[in-house]
Amino acid sequence: MTQVPDPEAPESIDLDRPNAARIYDWFLGGTANWAIDREFGERAVQTFPMIKTIAKSGRELLGRTVRYMARNGIDQYLDLGSGVPTAGNVHQIATSVNPDARCVYVDNEPVAVAHSQILLEREGVADRHAVLHGDLRNPGDIWPRALDTGVLDPKRPIGLIMSGVLYFIGREEGAHEMVRKYLSLVPSGSFFMASHITLDGVPESDGDSRESIHEQYKQSSTPIHFRSRAEFAEFFDGLELVDPGVVWVSEWRPEEGESRNSDRMAADPSFSGGICAVGRKP
């Protein structure tokens, strides 16, 4: 059913279909979402009650990986598919380690972009951070625009982040080629962080509910695509994997942050269905 136009909605926002960035915001307890997104989220929770907890574990992973990169000399970041800003944004985590850290956010969802800009202006850090409205699937457009902000120095290592976004890009859309292009543009010493969802090694008893979520997302403007662990590992070809390599989300360096895993994920990290890795460009 077509939604009644909302005068407070950013220009060009699609309110006819739920959107991943706004749904994820709802999962995390945010307010940058509309009725159509909340309805979708509530149905997802009914299908798979742990989905909110899993979403939060992905956000915590982002914090741990950025903290690790910042402690290892990375002071500038390109966050692709950054989503709606919530607690623990990249620039906030990075500046907690290095006050001079910089970040460019990129998202194709107008709500995410508008709220990111408001956050940066409110915090008074818009001179060191920027947000772009664009499609990360087009490096030829995103990369020069990111540099045009003046925030990033292409001669120094960059933290390239694709947290919880690659599974919205289908195989036919050339996801691996896209990642390779970005990695060819960043200088030696840069880090690449990504996370993904998979059915590999996930308890079979949960398979049906995950497939149901898969089908539900087909009704949104942002359908999801599962990849095998091997397919995910291909994104890191040519990079030096940071220990512990490709692992379940909750297993990636828990010492880098406060662990708030649910009892279920603590007992069985595979339950999240989320895998991740960080690699360094030689």
Side-chain angles (χ1 to χ4, degrees), residues 167-183:
Y167 48 80
F168 294 113
I169 303 175
R171 291 173 178 80
E172 72 284 355
E173 296 179 276
H176 286 91
E177 292 77 8
M178 176 200 72
V179 169
R180 281 195 288 272
K181 180 59 177 178
Y182 278 112
L183 289 173

Side-chain angles (χ1 to χ4, degrees), residues 38-141:
R38 295 189 286 274
E39 179 186 349
F40 183 101
E42 287 166 357
R43 285 192 289 118
V45 170
Q46 290 173 2
T47 302
F48 189 25
M50 287 290 290
I51 196 167
K52 282 189 173 183
T53 299
I54 289 173
K56 290 176 182 177
S57 71
R59 194 69 183 181
E60 291 167 7
L61 169 72
L62 175 65
R64 298 198 305 275
T65 55
V66 171
R67 194 169 293 111
Y68 172 85
M69 287 188 276
R71 289 174 177 168
N72 282 272
I74 301 297
D75 63 359
Q76 52 178 355
Y77 301 83
L78 179 58
D79 187 358
L80 298 167
S82 52
V84 176
T86 184
N89 298 292
V90 170
H91 75 277
Q92 295 166 329
I93 301 161
T95 54
S96 72
V97 179
N98 182 346
D100 296 323
R102 297 168 172 264
C103 181
V104 173
Y105 294 101
V106 178
D107 206 280
N108 65 352
E109 167 52 52
V111 171
V113 173
H115 279 263
S116 296
Q117 190 61 54
I118 290 170
L119 175 67
L120 296 179
E121 292 173 356
R122 181 185 300 146
E123 293 186 3
V125 295
D127 58 328
R128 288 188 294 107
H129 308 290
V131 55
L132 301 178
H133 183 209
D135 191 334
L136 65 90
R137 292 171 293 187
N138 187 358
D141 171 64

